[in-house]
Amino acid sequence: MISQDLNDRITRIGPATAAGDVLRRYWQPAALLDELAGQRPVVPVRLLGEDLVLFRDSEGKLGLIGRHCPHRGVDLCFGRLEDNGLRCPFHGWHFNRDGQCVEQPGEPEASLMHEKIKTTSYPVVERNGIIFAYMGPGEPPAFPNFDCFRAPDTHVFAFKGLWECNWLQALEIGIDPAHASFLHRFLQDEDPKESYGKQFRDKAANTEIPMTQLLRDYPRPEIHVEDTEFGMRIIALRHLEDGRTHVRVTNQTFPEAITIPMSREMIITQWHVPVDDENCYWYSMFTSFGAPVNKDLMREQRLREHSLPGYAPLKNARNNYGFDPDEQAELTYTGMGLDINVHDQWAVESMGAIQDRTTEHLGKTDAAIIHFRRKLRAAIDALENNKPQDLPMWNGGDAAKITGPIANDTICSDGNWRAAYEAGDRARRTGCSDWDAAID
Ligand code: FES
Ligand SMILES: [Fe+2]
């Protein structure tokens, strides 16, 4: 357990907060490209407690600017998308994609007042279906050369969903390899042929054992946590009765992403992005090393569980997450259906908007969570001591040279689990014929 003061420091992310300053030093997912697909590409964005509006101008370029008009504060999400910018419907002030006011049609003709009016604006870039924003000082960092960014658009599908809780508890479930044996337990195994686009439904590595059975039968993973140039690698070993070891490698990319295996073909890179202190979006990039991603199927699977435009899950606290005691007795550990996202959502939301960490009791299986909090505290200290160069991926190395990360499930027969997961990763990359997945 930690003090209330420390809990506040590592969870609260508004402007001029300790953790908020750290998150602002990294590119943040701000919207899905899908959200700009309609006739009028203008969407509200609430990110790190700031209210913004994202739009595409007539040159096709993106702008992310303050949501409230700097004149008298009305909502620019209702602005007129015209003249290569966004025009406030109240008095017609016009803003370009950099947030500069370029026209004030109601002011005297010779007025140059607009030259002094510039609203908040942040740089944005689009990568494989997600629009990222940089909200920190100075030049943004380079993107790591991760698989989700290197793979062609055809091999990456992006989606998001809202969770009504603080970002840190959302991230912490993603670096907790033990929970999958319980929270996501299926009391019966589905045919792995039905597994496309779903997590934990494939066969475990190159065995005939469904992942669901392996997780159920071996609930006490041995967990190793290692520092990497991008954050942390988390290795969960499950020692099987026949002497083999199941090895699952997942990653934490600082500050708030994870990369995990989804199936033998795909990995998931997922950010837990603060909307504000008490809400967050997960943004996922599903990256295929095999065939192009069936985006229509994956989108349709997920839209069935979410409502637009807010990507709010249909199962939520207001309807008990669909809890069914009969299902809990016979089919799933939670009684909340087969979509494991709902299980995770229940776990993190039911902790309360910001988990009270003054009353928690961490165990051995929480090793990665403990390690991550240390890294976050170190990053907070570095910024407070004016040493941004000490932050992960800011430390003089070239982030663009960082590849991977390795995220896979393998079976090891000789105890050398590191060699096993490296060999498994090499084989997957060598077999990737549609794009260059090679790493050093
Ligand atoms: S409030 Fe926007 S132009 Fe007046
Ligand atoms: Fe989970």
Side-chain angles (χ1 to χ4, degrees):
M1 56 186 81
I2 61 175
S3 69
Q4 184 61 48
D5 186 51
L6 179 55
N7 201 29
D8 287 341
R9 258 167 89 70
I10 61 177
T11 54
R12 295 190 180 272
I13 48 62
T17 55
D21 285 352
V22 172
L23 265 59
R24 281 171 174 75
R25 295 284 179 153
Y26 296 87
W27 286 102
Q28 297 289 331
L32 294 175
L33 193 60
D34 284 355
E35 295 177 71
L36 290 172
Q39 285 284 341
R40 180 177 169 274
V42 180
V43 288
V45 169
R46 185 160 163 78
L47 184 55
L48 298 175
E50 299 185 38
D51 284 313
L52 306 163
V53 52
L54 174 70
F55 64 97
R56 192 188 293 287
D57 67 18
S58 40
E59 287 174 9
K61 302 261 172 58
L62 296 170
L64 180 65
I65 69 173
R67 178 163 178 173
H68 295 284
C69 178
H71 180 208
R72 282 168 48 205
V74 302
D75 184 354
L76 289 176
C77 289
F78 294 89
R80 297 175 61 82
L81 190 62
E82 62 188 19
D83 301 328
N84 202 30
L86 201 55
R87 189 180 294 282
C88 179
F90 201 0
H91 309 93
W93 291 18
H94 187 256
F95 299 90
N96 68 16
R97 60 178 178 258
D98 300 320
Q100 179 65 49
C101 182
V102 291
E103 200 188 353
Q104 294 167 307
E107 291 293 308
E109 206 143 11
S111 169
L112 294 176
M113 178 188 168
H114 67 271
E115 291 179 359
K116 299 200 193 73
I117 309 288
K118 189 168 190 300
T119 190
T120 307
S121 80
Y122 296 118
V124 279
V125 302
E126 192 260 320
R127 292 289 171 102
N128 275 345
I130 295 182
I131 293 153
F132 290 83
Y134 179 72
M135 299 167 70
E139 284 297 305
F143 275 82
N145 197 17
F146 282 158
D147 299 311
C148 59
F149 300 130
R150 285 170 84 187
D153 180 69
T154 45
H155 287 63
V156 181
F157 170 68
F159 201 76
K160 74 178 195 178
L162 182 70
W163 284 353
E164 296 178 54
C165 69
N166 182 261
W167 69 281
L168 182 58
Q169 64 216 52
L171 172 69
E172 287 182 345
I173 200 169
I175 54 174
D176 164 12
H179 81 274
S181 283
F182 301 94
L183 185 71
H184 305 312
R185 182 176 298 186
F186 292 87
L187 308 180
Q188 299 158 22
D189 303 307
E190 189 181 49
D191 182 348
K193 285 205 264 323
E194 304 294 311
S195 70
Y196 189 83
K198 302 177 196 163
Q199 206 185 337
F200 295 137
R201 307 295 181 80
D202 205 347
K203 284 178 270 191
N206 47 345
T207 69
E208 289 312 303
I209 313 171
M211 230 8 231
T212 41
Q213 184 192 338
L214 182 118
L215 291 169
R216 191 171 62 232
D217 290 351
Y218 299 97
R220 298 182 198 276
E222 177 186 325
I223 298 171
H224 295 253
V225 181
E226 303 172 346
D227 282 314
T228 64
E229 51 200 341
F230 54 81
M232 298 155 41
R233 180 180 301 122
I234 302 154
I235 300 134
L237 306 178
R238 286 179 165 86
H239 300 292
L240 311 189
E241 269 169 7
D242 63 8
R244 295 181 299 172
T245 302
H246 177 261
V247 187
R248 182 172 169 86
V249 182
T250 58
N251 306 269
Q252 199 286 318
T253 297
F254 199 82
E256 94 270 36
I258 57 172
T259 299
I260 60 176
M262 183 172 91
S263 59
R264 282 167 296 172
E265 184 172 77
M266 276 193 245
I267 59 170
I268 306 175
T269 300
Q270 184 171 70
W271 289 256
H272 290 284
V273 187
V275 172
D276 50 33
D277 285 342
E278 299 190 350
N279 296 278
C280 59
Y281 276 113
W282 56 263
Y283 278 83
S284 285
M285 287 170 121
F286 302 80
T287 306
S288 173
F289 293 90
V293 176
N294 185 340
K295 297 195 196 203
D296 290 341
L297 174 59
M298 291 191 69
R299 187 180 289 110
E300 192 248 320
Q301 286 173 339
R302 284 155 186 81
L303 283 176
R304 238 185 280 140
E305 313 284 351
H306 294 82
S307 67
L308 296 182
Y311 291 82
L314 299 179
K315 289 186 181 171
N316 54 54
R318 266 86 58 198
N319 53 31
N320 286 337
Y321 302 89
F323 176 70
D324 173 355
D326 293 335
E327 183 198 303
Q328 189 174 46
E330 283 153 31
L331 188 59
T332 64
Y333 210 68
T334 58
M336 294 175 189
L338 303 179
D339 177 2
I340 73 161
N341 258 308
V342 177
H343 313 161
D344 286 332
Q345 178 200 349
W346 164 78
V348 298
E349 291 185 347
S350 68
M351 293 170 181
I354 301 179
Q355 186 206 341
D356 179 1
R357 292 180 177 76
T358 67
T359 57
E360 70 181 1
H361 297 83
L362 299 182
K364 275 261 187 244
T365 59
D366 300 308
I369 291 169
I370 293 165
H371 198 82
F372 175 77
R373 290 184 195 168
R374 284 204 193 106
K375 289 179 88 75
L376 179 57
R377 291 172 67 181
I380 288 171
D381 290 346
L383 281 188
E384 287 182 347
N385 292 317
N386 209 17
K387 290 186 175 161
Q389 69 276 13
D390 289 353
L391 297 188
M393 292 186 284
W394 273 90
N395 42 13
D398 185 350
K401 294 200 182 109
I402 301 176
T403 52
I406 297 174
N408 63 11
D409 288 290
T410 43
I411 289 283
C412 159
S413 308
D414 61 1
N416 191 348
W417 46 265
R418 194 180 301 281
Y421 79 67
E422 285 176 353
D425 184 63
R426 248 189 327 273
R428 176 151 75 176
R429 290 176 188 285
T430 310
C432 177
S433 51
D434 290 354
W435 54 281
D436 178 11
I439 57 176
D440 308 334

